[in-house]
Amino acid sequence: MASSSVLDEIMAKKTLVVSTDANYAPQSFLNDKGELEGFDISVAKEVAKRLGVKVKFITPDWDLITAGKWGKRWDLSIGSMTPTAERKNALLFSLPYYSSPAQFAVHKNNTTIKTLNDLAGKTIGIASETTNERYLQKDLKIEDVNVVYQPWEAGELKNYPTDANHIEDLSLGDGLRLDAIFTSRQTLAEAIRSGCGKGCPIKMLGEPPYYEPLCFALDKSRANSDSFLEKLNEIVKEMNEDGTLVKLSEKFYGTNLIPKL
Amino acid sequence: MGIEVDGAPEQGIPEEADRVLRQIEGRRKKYRRNLLISFAVLITLLVTAMIVLKLDFSFMMKWLPFILAGSGYTFLVSVLAITLACILAVVGALGRMSSNPVFNAVATSYVSLIRGTPLLVQVYMWYLALPQIGKALEELGLHGVQAWLTLPAVPAGILALGVCYGAYMTETVRAGIQSIKIGQTEAAMALGMTRGQTMKRVIFPQALRVIIPPVSNEFIAMIKDSSLVSLMGVWELSYRAVKIGRRHFQSLEMLIMVALIYWLMCILLQFVQERIETHMARGDRRV
Amino acid sequence: MGIEVDGAPEQGIPEEADRVLRQIEGRRKKYRRNLLISFAVLITLLVTAMIVLKLDFSFMMKWLPFILAGSGYTFLVSVLAITLACILAVVGALGRMSSNPVFNAVATSYVSLIRGTPLLVQVYMWYLALPQIGKALEELGLHGVQAWLTLPAVPAGILALGVCYGAYMTETVRAGIQSIKIGQTEAAMALGMTRGQTMKRVIFPQALRVIIPPVSNEFIAMIKDSSLVSLMGVWELSYRAVKIGRRHFQSLEMLIMVALIYWLMCILLQFVQERIETHMARGDRRV
Amino acid sequence: MSVNISEKKGPVVQAKGIHKIFGNMNHVLRGLDLDVGKGETVVILGASGSGKSTLLRCINFLEAPTAGSIEVDGTLIRADAPANEREAKALEIRRKTGMCFQSFNLFPHMTVLENIIEGPRTVLKQNRKEAEEYADELLDWVGLTDKRGEYPSCLSGGQQQRVAIARSLAMKPKVMLFDEPTSALDPELVGEVVEVMERLAADGMTIIAVTHELHFARDVADRVMIMDGGNWVEEGTPEKIFNNPEQERTKRFLAHIL
Amino acid sequence: MSVNISEKKGPVVQAKGIHKIFGNMNHVLRGLDLDVGKGETVVILGASGSGKSTLLRCINFLEAPTAGSIEVDGTLIRADAPANEREAKALEIRRKTGMCFQSFNLFPHMTVLENIIEGPRTVLKQNRKEAEEYADELLDWVGLTDKRGEYPSCLSGGQQQRVAIARSLAMKPKVMLFDEPTSALDPELVGEVVEVMERLAADGMTIIAVTHELHFARDVADRVMIMDGGNWVEEGTPEKIFNNPEQERTKRFLAHIL
Ligand SMILES: Nc1ncnc2c1ncn2[C@@H]1O[C@H](COP(=O)(O)OP(=O)(O)OP(=O)(O)O)[C@@H](O)[C@H]1O
Ligand SMILES: Nc1ncnc2c1ncn2[C@@H]1O[C@H](COP(=O)(O)OP(=O)(O)OP(=O)(O)O)[C@@H](O)[C@H]1O
Ligand SMILES: [Mg+2]
Ligand SMILES: [Mg+2]
């Protein structure tokens, strides 16, 4: 019993328990019926289907997911997680299943900031402890990605619990609390599209400074996860090669964010 | 000087008194009317502020049923947690007043440690630390302990809230017990009751009267704190409101809505509390 | 029957009494010793639990200074907020007891609304909703209002905490004032004092004695709730701990550390509170 | 020290047709009159609940009468006067009236001296020196000079009541009202308080006292009045009331307490 | 109903060399002896703080004496006995002893009837019917049958004290201790309580009473004892104590209260 592998356990209970943080549209969010929906959700359902088991979602706080030591509450995180060096202390990562462009944005009324270089000395909002923050601190280490930093320094980095907070704060007015924000392009696109109720007054700025790969994560502290990780990598490869991922990307993001493996 | 002879007392109320009484009654009515007007004005102001904020009411109405569906969890967690808290509070209060040093030390440490640390941290400890302790114990040879100690979100939340509020309420219960006059204990002891009988039959029933109001307040506070279980992914009121708010970048609408729901729940509970207090007052001077 | 004649009373304490007194003293000492032992055992257990959890102590020690540096903000916010809360509580209590319907309605609504909604929501309201109200007012022609109403994180946090605790403390202050016996008011009125003088010179100084302990408790609670300002990005204790914990994926270590820091602060404050209470008791029966 | 030197003449307190109705038509005082002359000592007796305390409290407007009028040393208030006028006049009457309660009601957070100078300082705006000088005279007069700096909780009941009397006298009142000043005291302590009240009466103070101290009623009072159910039953000199009561109700009442 | 029929013989209460030292060497009782025979009525008098209450409370071990021994109806406890033995014996003594307090101390959350049957039900484990039957007899005896279902707060002080007496009697005690049972009462209500105490004495109950009701001491007591500073000053028949006190201190004390 103690030596049975994680994969065996999942197959035995015929259920894959997936954790996801329902904070981000269109990755993972509550749809108009109040049900979970999104790219990550669809991917997770597909993974379960290919494993031949049922899927069950659990929605703990992001911190609880990234802290590791899940104690078998869930088997797998499918939550658009970037495999940074520190996270590897607690988690195991699969092959990347898609990648995400990072993106700056400013208030619609802003006329002075035209290029990324105009951001020098400005107040920029970011979500705390995300790759975006690490990038602006020039301290981002991602496996297999060569990060090129901006030549300028921001005036002040304002930390927020999640991206929604700084998007709402920037919407209050140009330069009121923030001059610009920095997050993933999909999140910004969704904010502009869904429109904070009555037209979100923000616009994107410049080209993505970097693309980050996003992976499934497993609990490193759980013994005998190797076969499960291998199986997941196989599935990711299959889904990449047979076009499933591209189809989902286009459905949810409107573009193809799937890297060549 | 109007000495009256022994006999029928003057029953009539002079006209002047009548006028004064009507004045007093009139003033009371006017006061009540003004109070009502003031409340109405305040509520109008509140609604105006919401309109000034350009809140998206149709958005709020659309999501109301979905968010309200979370109140079941809110209630379940709160009711079970307050029950646990009451039990812990009574045991804790007895411990704090105990002359048994071990019992006393445990109760004192419990109160100090729990009251001294943020509830948020305690929630994490029940959820995260307990399974790790289980794992450590398993390594020491106790098989199956980890699974036992790996609590699902709802039980972990109930434990966290119950244990936390139990510590605060321990002091409430202790104060309630100590507020009963020493004469009551003496009368019971003089009848030959043991300490246990005295506590159970005489002191505690009276202390209950004193304890009920603060405990109801704690319950009302707990309803709001129960939102912390959303951290562990329980889809209660706050969780639903926050997620919908973020999804549509309309947090303000959702927060105001959930605040109003909590407020209504609190007003409702306060009403219930007042009924209970009236009922408990039956041994008092007749009204 | 040992009647003694009028004269020197028997001063000697019989040997038997001496034995009983020594017994009582011995029992007290033993109790105190056992209590200490129990506490020591409990603390040992706590430490053992931490070791069992395989906490990374060197990691904790490394970040301790950085995290402690946040306690300045924690204190600043708490002290200013409790000051604000005290002022609001006194005004609120007077309002709740006032016979002026407007004042009364405002105070009653304040208490009900604030106590009925989660602090978290209130924090957001001060931070997010206020600028939007400013924007709306600006559109109505009041220029420069929005900048005024766009509060930075720390003032918004102080306002949120102060206003919230003020509502809770209003009821504490009111209870304290109402606990002073009616005879005190009557004696002051009988001397010819006005209602204001009676309140200021006689009732309030006495109520203070009753109010100080719960207010200290509120202050201790506020120290912990002040972590909510971290939501707005103030680098206080919790913020630092959570951030470091997230970055290095050792949240548990950081949470336990920050809990211990809060606990120590609370124990310290409780000690100060006891000193103040002893000082306030000077008008009491001599000891 | 002589607290109040005056010739006995003219009423200081004049209550006319006092009615008091509490809350839901609880008719406690039923049209009482009371005239008290300068320097007179009146003792009011009556069963519990007959309305004695309520009458005293109506005299200094701690309780507003429902009908009737009160005049104390020239200040007149009618029950149906407008509220703000009544409030202002009530303050005036209270400054001319001292009152001692059954439960002393000293201010526990102030020392004995502070208790006594509180009224003169706060109400009469006297300076500290002036107030303290008179307070010291009064403390000497009630025999508590050595307790000057103590807190009330350190005093016996009898001492507390004597301080309460000094506190009232510090306002230089025209009338003193006593509401069962000795009934909360241990029997051995009653004497010291009654002794102070006697000296006060001897010094010419106008006194209205509700008390069960028969010795005081018999030996010190100029007039004894019996109340029952919010009406006067009988009044007269102590000799008449105690030795030859006319009314049946008076006899019944006296049988109970003698 | 006769509460207690007994011939007067042999001591029921025997206290020997009772010392009581509170906290930091506050020596309140200084080696007192007290023998009370069956059916005897003893009244203890003394100034406030002399230790009267403390002695009563030592007799039923509400306060543990520091030295000496107490024997009530055959149950003997020494002050230096082991704690658990003392605890058990104290319960036994308390069951044989009734006690009435100055402030009545009725249980406010129980009706009159419930107050009376509480002891028999909880301590003696009587069934409800048995307990209620005797309670009704007692209520009849103290004249409060019509208050059976009321809560204590609806009763006058005198009625409350009579219920308290009935509550004690429900345990069928061998001795009744009274600690100033009438001093919290209005003067008109004292009589009804004293009358019940007299009937109790007449029925042959053994009584130890601390009271300032001189009428009771003079007419009902078999023996009066004067206490001062934790010592007996003088004892004797009421006639001797009130008419021919020997000791200077007795005379001084009586002068105060007569
Ligand atoms: N504030 C009040 N509100 C309502 N009723 C009151 C109030 N004060 C007194 N009463 C009523 O008035 C009646 C007379 O009370 P009062 O205190 O004047 O009697 P008393 O003669 O002083 O009695 P005692 O000897 O017990 O002091 C009481 O029976 C009570 O019901
Ligand atoms: N629980 C206690 N702790 C400490 N000291 C006490 C305690 N009870 C009584 N005393 C002391 O014992 C002394 C005697 O008190 P006790 O109550 O026996 O006097 P008493 O004769 O009954 O007086 P009174 O007539 O006022 O009731 C008091 O002066 C008090 O200082
Ligand atoms: Mg009265
Ligand atoms: Mg006593």
Side-chain angles (χ1 to χ4, degrees):
Chain A
M1 174 71 197
S3 56
S4 75
S5 77
V6 177
L7 188 59
D8 293 344
E9 285 176 30
I10 292 166
M11 301 313 286
K13 54 181 181 157
K14 291 201 175 342
T15 320
L16 177 68
V17 184
V18 177
S19 73
T20 178
D21 179 26
N23 263 329
Y24 292 96
Q27 287 98 301
S28 169
F29 58 93
L30 299 178
N31 69 14
D32 287 359
K33 294 195 207 81
E35 293 159 346
L36 285 170
E37 198 186 315
F39 179 75
D40 284 342
I41 305 295
S42 295
V43 169
K45 284 178 179 160
E46 188 63 30
V47 169
K49 204 169 96 192
R50 291 181 190 215
L51 278 171
V53 295
K54 279 184 289 183
V55 65
K56 196 181 142 212
F57 290 102
I58 185 168
T59 54
D61 197 56
W62 182 245
D63 278 345
L64 288 172
I65 300 175
T66 56
K69 299 166 186 162
W70 299 338
K72 302 189 187 180
R73 284 194 175 94
W74 57 87
D75 306 309
L76 173 65
S77 156
I78 300 184
S80 305
M81 198 186 291
T82 317
T84 59
E86 289 91 349
R87 285 180 184 157
K88 287 196 164 168
N89 289 332
L91 303 173
L92 297 172
F93 288 100
S94 68
L95 292 173
Y97 63 109
Y98 77 112
S99 74
S100 155
Q103 179 70 50
F104 286 97
V106 294
H107 196 267
K108 230 187 200 154
N109 298 346
N110 185 288
T111 49
T112 53
I113 302 172
K114 294 189 188 77
T115 68
L116 290 189
N117 289 338
D118 294 335
L119 288 170
K122 300 289 185 198
T123 303
I124 301 174
I126 30 102
S128 181
E129 287 308 312
T130 53
T131 51
N132 304 309
E133 182 189 17
R134 305 301 290 272
Y135 176 80
L136 289 179
Q137 289 171 341
K138 302 196 163 60
D139 182 26
L140 179 62
K141 291 182 202 77
I142 309 175
E143 205 94 325
D144 307 326
V145 177
N146 182 24
V147 180
V148 181
Y149 295 115
Q150 296 294 311
W152 43 267
E153 294 282 347
E156 187 193 347
L157 291 183
K158 281 196 81 175
N159 276 264
Y160 289 82
T162 73
D163 288 318
N165 301 122
H166 59 69
I167 294 173
E168 284 169 334
D169 230 10
L170 180 67
S171 309
L172 286 175
D174 181 30
L176 203 57
R177 281 208 182 97
L178 295 175
D179 297 311
I181 53 177
F182 185 41
T183 177
S184 77
R185 185 178 203 147
Q186 313 87 275
T187 304
L188 285 171
E190 179 65 18
I192 292 167
R193 191 190 67 74
S194 83
C196 309
K198 48 229 161 257
C200 196
I202 60 176
K203 60 185 180 192
M204 301 213 194
L205 178 73
E207 286 301 307
Y210 65 93
Y211 283 74
E212 54 187 320
L214 301 170
C215 310
F216 305 162
L218 303 183
D219 183 359
K220 200 173 184 177
S221 71
R222 188 165 170 185
N224 301 320
S225 292
D226 308 347
S227 56
F228 185 38
L229 186 62
E230 268 168 40
K231 183 77 187 163
L232 286 173
N233 283 337
E234 255 172 53
I235 292 175
V236 170
K237 243 183 236 156
E238 277 172 34
M239 286 168 68
N240 188 301
E241 281 158 8
D242 66 16
T244 314
L245 285 173
V246 176
K247 222 166 32 190
L248 287 175
S249 168
E250 268 162 0
K251 176 180 174 196
F252 285 103
Y253 298 121
T255 69
N256 181 357
L257 295 173
I258 310 304
K260 294 256 154 19
L261 279 177
Chain B
M1 181 150 303
I3 295 275
E4 278 171 53
V5 284
D6 214 3
E10 188 192 300
Q11 281 293 351
I13 294 170
E15 203 197 327
E16 184 197 351
D18 223 46
R19 228 179 309 132
V20 172
L21 286 176
R22 252 181 290 121
Q23 237 179 53
I24 293 173
E25 185 55 27
R27 232 178 296 141
R28 214 185 22 239
K29 272 207 190 116
K30 201 172 133 203
Y31 174 76
R32 224 175 302 146
R33 200 196 56 206
N34 286 352
L35 200 63
L36 277 180
I37 293 177
S38 307
F39 277 121
V41 169
L42 283 172
I43 289 177
T44 316
L45 270 177
L46 211 66
V47 173
T48 316
M50 285 193 203
I51 292 169
V52 165
L53 274 173
K54 299 222 186 84
L55 292 187
D56 185 346
F57 289 105
S58 65
F59 174 71
M60 288 165 82
M61 287 321 294
K62 183 179 153 203
W63 286 103
L64 183 61
F66 174 69
I67 286 171
L68 270 182
S71 56
Y73 267 122
T74 299
F75 243 90
L76 174 78
V77 169
S78 305
V79 168
L80 290 179
I82 201 84
T83 310
L84 174 64
C86 285
I87 296 167
L88 288 173
V90 170
V91 176
L94 292 178
R96 291 275 283 157
M97 296 184 298
S98 166
S99 56
N100 176 328
V102 177
F103 193 18
N104 195 315
V106 170
T108 306
S109 313
Y110 163 57
V111 171
S112 172
L113 177 63
I114 299 291
R115 299 213 312 170
T117 51
L119 176 54
L120 179 67
V121 174
Q122 291 173 36
V123 170
Y124 277 110
M125 294 297 287
W126 285 103
Y127 197 65
L128 278 187
L130 216 54
Q132 292 202 36
I133 291 177
K135 195 171 162 196
L137 290 178
E138 208 145 84
E139 280 164 17
L140 292 175
L142 287 159
H143 286 298
V145 177
Q146 191 179 7
W148 266 98
L149 292 181
T150 305
L151 299 172
V154 173
I158 291 169
L159 271 174
L161 283 170
V163 168
C164 177
Y165 274 76
Y168 283 93
M169 280 161 51
T170 289
E171 295 301 86
T172 311
V173 172
R174 183 168 71 121
I177 289 175
Q178 287 177 341
S179 76
I180 304 305
K181 291 213 192 71
I182 184 78
Q184 291 290 316
T185 309
E186 287 181 350
M189 301 280 284
L191 283 178
M193 290 193 197
T194 60
R195 295 210 161 267
Q197 287 170 334
T198 303
M199 183 57 75
K200 193 174 128 218
R201 303 280 313 164
V202 175
I203 305 304
F204 200 72
Q206 293 184 56
L208 213 53
R209 276 275 315 277
V210 188
I211 295 168
I212 290 267
V215 165
S216 325
N217 285 339
E218 297 284 349
F219 183 54
I220 290 169
M222 184 184 270
I223 292 260
K224 289 174 282 147
D225 270 346
S226 70
S227 66
L228 275 176
V229 299
S230 67
L231 287 178
M232 301 178 291
V234 181
W235 289 30
E236 46 68 76
L237 272 180
S238 308
Y239 180 88
R240 289 165 185 246
V242 168
K243 297 293 138 134
I244 297 296
R246 285 191 185 153
R247 153 91 178 87
H248 297 278
F249 300 91
Q250 296 187 311
S251 294
L252 202 56
E253 272 87 352
M254 284 296 116
L255 285 172
I256 288 176
M257 194 166 89
V258 81
L260 287 178
I261 295 174
Y262 279 119
W263 191 21
L264 282 177
M265 282 167 86
C266 288
I267 289 175
L268 210 81
L269 281 169
Q270 251 150 17
F271 181 74
V272 173
Q273 173 186 352
E274 272 159 32
R275 300 302 296 265
I276 294 176
E277 276 173 42
T278 314
H279 176 75
M280 301 284 293
R282 74 197 129 68
D284 266 13
R285 184 158 290 285
R286 97 192 103 198
V287 253
Chain C
M1 181 152 303
I3 295 277
E4 278 171 53
V5 284
D6 213 4
E10 186 191 300
Q11 281 294 351
I13 295 169
E15 205 196 326
E16 185 196 351
D18 223 47
R19 228 178 310 133
V20 172
L21 286 175
R22 253 180 289 122
Q23 237 179 53
I24 293 173
E25 184 57 26
R27 233 179 295 142
R28 212 179 29 235
K29 275 207 188 118
K30 201 174 134 203
Y31 174 75
R32 224 176 301 146
R33 201 196 57 204
N34 287 351
L35 199 62
L36 279 178
I37 293 177
S38 306
F39 277 120
V41 169
L42 284 173
I43 289 177
T44 316
L45 270 177
L46 212 65
V47 173
T48 315
M50 285 193 204
I51 293 170
V52 165
L53 276 173
K54 298 224 186 83
L55 293 185
D56 184 346
F57 290 103
S58 65
F59 174 73
M60 287 165 83
M61 289 320 295
K62 184 177 151 207
W63 287 103
L64 184 61
F66 174 74
I67 286 170
L68 269 183
S71 57
Y73 266 122
T74 299
F75 243 90
L76 175 78
V77 169
S78 305
V79 168
L80 290 178
I82 200 86
T83 311
L84 175 63
C86 284
I87 296 167
L88 288 173
V90 170
V91 175
L94 292 178
R96 291 276 283 157
M97 295 184 299
S98 167
S99 56
N100 176 327
V102 177
F103 193 17
N104 195 316
V106 171
T108 306
S109 312
Y110 163 58
V111 171
S112 172
L113 177 62
I114 299 289
R115 299 211 312 170
T117 52
L119 175 54
L120 179 66
V121 174
Q122 293 173 35
V123 170
Y124 275 110
M125 294 296 288
W126 287 103
Y127 194 67
L128 273 187
L130 218 53
Q132 292 205 28
I133 291 178
K135 197 169 159 193
L137 290 176
E138 208 144 82
E139 279 164 17
L140 292 175
L142 288 159
H143 285 297
V145 178
Q146 190 180 12
W148 266 98
L149 291 181
T150 306
L151 298 172
V154 172
I158 291 169
L159 271 173
L161 282 171
V163 168
C164 178
Y165 275 76
Y168 283 93
M169 280 161 51
T170 289
E171 294 301 88
T172 312
V173 171
R174 183 168 71 122
I177 288 175
Q178 287 179 339
S179 76
I180 304 305
K181 291 212 191 73
I182 184 77
Q184 292 290 315
T185 309
E186 288 182 350
M189 300 282 282
L191 283 177
M193 291 193 194
T194 60
R195 293 212 163 266
Q197 287 169 336
T198 302
M199 184 56 77
K200 193 173 127 219
R201 303 278 315 162
V202 175
I203 305 304
F204 201 72
Q206 293 184 57
L208 213 53
R209 276 275 315 277
V210 187
I211 295 169
I212 290 266
V215 166
S216 324
N217 285 339
E218 297 284 349
F219 184 55
I220 290 170
M222 184 184 270
I223 292 258
K224 287 173 285 147
D225 269 347
S226 71
S227 66
L228 275 178
V229 300
S230 68
L231 287 179
M232 301 178 293
V234 181
W235 289 40
E236 45 70 75
L237 270 181
S238 309
Y239 180 86
R240 289 167 185 246
V242 168
K243 202 167 162 70
I244 297 297
R246 274 189 200 167
R247 171 160 300 186
H248 298 275
F249 297 89
Q250 298 192 313
S251 291
L252 202 57
E253 273 88 352
M254 284 296 114
L255 284 172
I256 288 176
M257 195 164 91
V258 83
L260 288 178
I261 294 173
Y262 279 119
W263 191 20
L264 281 177
M265 282 167 86
C266 290
I267 290 175
L268 210 82
L269 281 168
Q270 252 150 15
F271 181 74
V272 173
Q273 172 187 353
E274 272 160 30
R275 300 302 297 266
I276 294 175
E277 276 173 41
T278 313
H279 176 73
M280 300 284 294
R282 74 197 129 68
D284 267 13
R285 184 157 291 285
R286 96 194 103 198
V287 249
Chain D
M1 192 201 75
S2 174
V3 170
N4 186 319
I5 299 163
S6 66
E7 339 76 275
K8 305 202 174 191
K9 66 152 209 242
V12 179
V13 174
Q14 211 168 2
K16 281 208 190 110
I18 301 296
H19 283 262
K20 178 69 200 184
I21 301 174
F22 279 113
N24 204 3
M25 283 314 197
N26 182 5
H27 202 163
V28 172
L29 299 183
R30 294 162 176 269
L32 290 171
D33 296 336
L34 175 65
D35 279 20
V36 182
K38 225 175 198 167
E40 203 183 359
T41 298
V42 174
V43 166
I44 300 174
L45 295 177
S48 181
S50 58
K52 307 178 300 289
S53 301
T54 306
L55 176 62
L56 280 193
R57 295 153 60 78
C58 279
I59 290 177
N60 71 350
F61 264 76
L62 278 186
E63 210 73 79
T66 315
S69 69
I70 302 276
E71 183 171 353
V72 175
D73 191 47
T75 309
L76 175 82
I77 319 183
R78 296 189 178 287
D80 55 356
N84 53 349
E85 182 199 318
R86 224 177 43 199
E87 206 41 53
K89 287 264 183 85
L91 282 181
E92 216 174 285
I93 283 193
R94 287 191 204 125
R95 278 163 208 181
K96 293 177 177 173
T97 326
M99 187 163 195
C100 287
F101 302 86
Q102 178 176 352
S103 46
F104 329 137
N105 295 345
L106 291 182
F107 304 136
H109 58 302
M110 301 180 185
T111 62
V112 165
L113 184 76
E114 286 164 355
N115 262 283
I116 298 177
I117 64 173
E118 180 60 28
R121 300 264 295 137
T122 309
V123 179
L124 307 178
K125 310 288 180 201
Q126 286 180 12
N127 66 39
R128 176 170 276 277
K129 193 158 156 288
E130 189 184 351
E132 283 195 9
E133 267 170 20
Y134 191 54
D136 281 331
E137 272 183 60
L138 286 168
L139 276 175
D140 183 42
W141 192 75
V142 298
L144 288 171
T145 303
D146 55 326
K147 300 292 181 188
R148 199 175 183 268
E150 300 267 19
Y151 282 95
S153 58
C154 301
L155 304 185
S156 76
Q159 293 169 335
Q160 289 193 46
Q161 194 60 291
R162 279 144 68 199
V163 173
I165 294 174
R167 178 175 67 174
S168 294
L169 292 178
M171 298 292 290
K172 303 206 170 117
K174 303 285 192 257
V175 203
M176 282 290 292
L177 310 175
F178 289 92
D179 191 1
E180 310 202 17
T182 57
S183 58
L185 298 177
D186 282 326
E188 326 105 67
L189 303 176
V190 169
E192 60 191 54
V193 172
V194 171
E195 190 260 345
V196 168
M197 289 169 67
E198 284 172 17
R199 269 164 43 211
L200 203 55
D203 277 358
M205 175 60 82
T206 310
I207 293 175
I208 307 177
V210 173
T211 176
H212 288 112
E213 265 319 291
L214 297 183
H215 155 66
F216 184 83
R218 229 190 293 246
D219 302 346
V220 183
D222 296 310
R223 186 152 43 115
V224 174
M225 306 185 68
I226 311 287
M227 186 186 280
D228 189 35
N231 287 306
W232 295 127
V233 175
E234 186 164 3
E235 67 160 307
T237 58
E239 295 79 47
K240 187 202 140 203
I241 296 290
F242 289 111
N243 304 333
N244 296 307
E246 274 170 25
Q247 301 295 332
E248 201 45 51
R249 268 196 269 173
T250 311
K251 285 179 201 158
R252 246 185 293 139
F253 173 70
L254 291 175
H256 259 124
I257 62 167
L258 284 179
Chain E
M1 191 198 75
S2 175
V3 170
N4 187 318
I5 300 162
S6 64
E7 340 75 275
K8 305 201 174 193
K9 67 152 209 244
V12 178
V13 174
Q14 210 167 5
K16 281 208 190 109
I18 300 297
H19 284 261
K20 178 69 200 183
I21 302 174
F22 278 114
N24 205 2
M25 282 316 193
N26 182 5
H27 202 161
V28 172
L29 298 182
R30 295 163 176 270
L32 291 170
D33 295 338
L34 175 65
D35 280 21
V36 182
K38 224 175 198 168
E40 203 183 1
T41 297
V42 174
V43 165
I44 301 175
L45 295 177
S48 181
S50 58
K52 308 179 295 296
S53 299
T54 307
L55 177 62
L56 278 195
R57 295 154 58 78
C58 279
I59 289 176
N60 71 350
F61 264 76
L62 279 185
E63 211 72 79
T66 316
S69 68
I70 303 276
E71 183 171 353
V72 175
D73 190 47
T75 310
L76 175 83
I77 317 182
R78 298 187 175 288
D80 55 356
N84 52 351
E85 182 198 320
R86 226 176 43 199
E87 207 42 53
K89 286 265 184 85
L91 282 182
E92 216 173 286
I93 282 193
R94 286 192 205 125
R95 279 163 207 182
K96 293 177 178 173
T97 325
M99 187 163 196
C100 287
F101 303 86
Q102 179 175 354
S103 44
F104 330 136
N105 296 344
L106 290 182
F107 305 136
H109 58 302
M110 299 181 186
T111 63
V112 164
L113 183 77
E114 286 164 354
N115 261 282
I116 298 177
I117 63 172
E118 180 61 29
R121 299 264 295 138
T122 311
V123 179
L124 305 180
K125 311 288 181 201
Q126 287 179 11
N127 65 41
R128 177 170 276 275
K129 191 157 160 288
E130 187 184 355
E132 283 194 9
E133 267 170 21
Y134 191 52
D136 281 330
E137 273 184 58
L138 286 168
L139 275 174
D140 183 44
W141 193 75
V142 298
L144 289 171
T145 303
D146 55 326
K147 301 290 181 188
R148 199 173 183 269
E150 300 266 20
Y151 282 95
S153 57
C154 300
L155 304 186
S156 76
Q159 292 169 335
Q160 289 192 45
Q161 193 62 291
R162 279 145 67 199
V163 173
I165 294 174
R167 178 176 66 176
S168 295
L169 292 178
M171 298 291 291
K172 304 207 169 114
K174 302 287 192 252
V175 203
M176 283 291 292
L177 309 176
F178 288 92
D179 192 0
E180 310 201 17
T182 57
S183 59
L185 298 178
D186 283 325
E188 326 106 65
L189 303 176
V190 169
E192 61 191 54
V193 173
V194 171
E195 190 258 346
V196 168
M197 289 169 68
E198 283 172 18
R199 270 166 41 213
L200 204 54
D203 277 358
M205 175 61 80
T206 310
I207 293 176
I208 308 177
V210 173
T211 177
H212 288 111
E213 266 317 294
L214 297 183
H215 156 66
F216 184 82
R218 230 191 291 248
D219 302 346
V220 183
D222 296 310
R223 184 153 44 117
V224 173
M225 306 186 69
I226 311 285
M227 185 186 280
D228 191 34
N231 286 307
W232 295 127
V233 175
E234 187 165 0
E235 67 162 307
T237 59
E239 295 79 47
K240 186 202 140 205
I241 295 290
F242 289 109
N243 304 335
N244 296 306
E246 275 170 23
Q247 302 293 333
E248 202 44 52
R249 271 196 267 172
T250 310
K251 286 179 200 157
R252 247 186 291 140
F253 173 72
L254 290 176
H256 258 124
I257 62 166
L258 284 180

